[in-house]
Amino acid sequence: MDSQVHYLPLTPGLFSILVIIFVVLIILIQLRILRYAYMRLGIGPGAALLVLFGSLIGSYFNIPITILPGHPVRTGEIVDFFGMRYIVPVVTAFPGTVLAVNVGGAVIPTLMSTYLVLRYQLWLKAAIAVVVIAIVIHTMATPVNGVGIAVPVFVPVVVTAILAFLLSREYAAPLAYIGGSMGTLIGADLLNLDKISGLGAPIASIGGAGTFDGIFLTGILAVLLAGIASPPRPRPAW
């Protein structure tokens, strides 16, 4: 079973688009075009690229948590949702739906968000951002047979960029990352755990298929949208 829980959350073509976006970011940062936009997040361009690269590679890996009751009815398919194509992994002899945590879409964003909250002491504003975005995403989250819970890919990006800027110009960039990633995880995946077992999904990955693309793009676009309009690099609390 261990070998079957690891798979790309998107089709190779769509995943390649994310890789191309990442490569373009590398080029722009090397040309210093986006250098200061990422510095507004509170980390250097190299560290920002490392986080995004880790998210891309980590999207392939899932950490199994438990097995939910029920029998998977879909396997080895490709499911379309809002223009995105998600992969239903090929599995055999699964006793039910495996609930897992995606490394690139859940573990890394959680660690990064925790670091940003501690660095800038954004406890209250971060909590507001996460709660509001979680509510918005939860209203749009859609159970998709064979995949799990999915959200329109650009909704987290637009909502987080606007809300982060309204909460704080100075700390808009870190708030965008925290609110976008954690709000999506909570609103789409965690608040819909009770619906997963009935979707016939062989593997339900928190931060994986259905939400990974939105979380990854939030890490790129929302931070840039918020960072470009914010003042120079925010002051760390420590």
Side-chain angles (χ1 to χ4, degrees):
M1 184 181 76
D2 289 342
S3 62
Q4 297 178 22
V5 299
H6 305 306
Y7 63 98
L8 288 178
L10 303 172
T11 59
L14 290 176
F15 188 79
S16 298
I17 293 176
L18 296 184
V19 173
I20 292 173
I21 293 175
F22 177 73
V23 172
V24 171
L25 281 177
I26 295 178
I27 296 174
L28 293 178
I29 285 179
Q30 291 301 317
L31 295 176
R32 297 179 180 269
I33 294 176
L34 296 181
R35 178 181 181 86
Y36 294 105
Y38 270 109
M39 287 182 67
R40 290 190 180 101
L41 180 59
I43 58 177
L49 288 177
L50 182 61
V51 170
L52 292 175
F53 180 73
S55 294
L56 273 178
I57 300 301
S59 68
Y60 178 80
F61 299 99
N62 293 297
I63 303 174
I65 300 176
T66 186
I67 297 179
L68 302 176
H71 299 281
V73 296
R74 307 187 70 161
T75 176
E77 300 179 21
I78 295 177
V79 177
D80 292 301
F81 178 78
F82 267 90
M84 303 300 291
R85 309 190 74 196
Y86 300 108
I87 293 179
V88 180
V90 178
V91 297
T92 57
F94 264 47
T97 297
V98 175
L99 182 63
V101 175
N102 188 265
V103 174
V107 176
I108 291 178
T110 299
L111 294 176
M112 182 64 183
S113 296
T114 301
Y115 164 76
L116 293 175
V117 170
L118 294 175
R119 178 179 175 86
Y120 297 115
Q121 294 295 294
L122 297 172
W123 300 100
L124 179 58
K125 291 180 179 179
I128 295 174
V130 170
V131 169
V132 172
I133 293 170
I135 293 174
V136 173
I137 296 299
H138 184 64
T139 61
M140 296 185 172
T142 303
V144 179
N145 289 332
V147 173
I149 308 300
V151 295
V153 61
F154 288 109
V155 170
V157 177
V158 176
V159 174
T160 54
I162 295 174
L163 180 60
F165 183 70
L166 291 176
L167 286 174
S168 172
R169 268 194 79 162
E170 182 177 6
Y171 298 103
L175 283 173
Y177 187 94
I178 297 166
S181 56
M182 294 296 97
T184 301
L185 284 175
I186 294 173
D189 289 333
L190 297 184
L191 293 182
N192 286 295
L193 288 179
D194 58 325
K195 302 176 183 177
I196 290 177
S197 59
L199 297 177
I203 301 171
S205 179
I206 298 174
T211 55
F212 169 76
D213 46 4
I215 292 173
F216 181 79
L217 290 177
T218 295
I220 296 176
L221 298 180
V223 169
L224 293 181
L225 288 173
I228 289 173
S230 66
R233 189 173 183 172
R235 301 180 301 276
W238 45 267

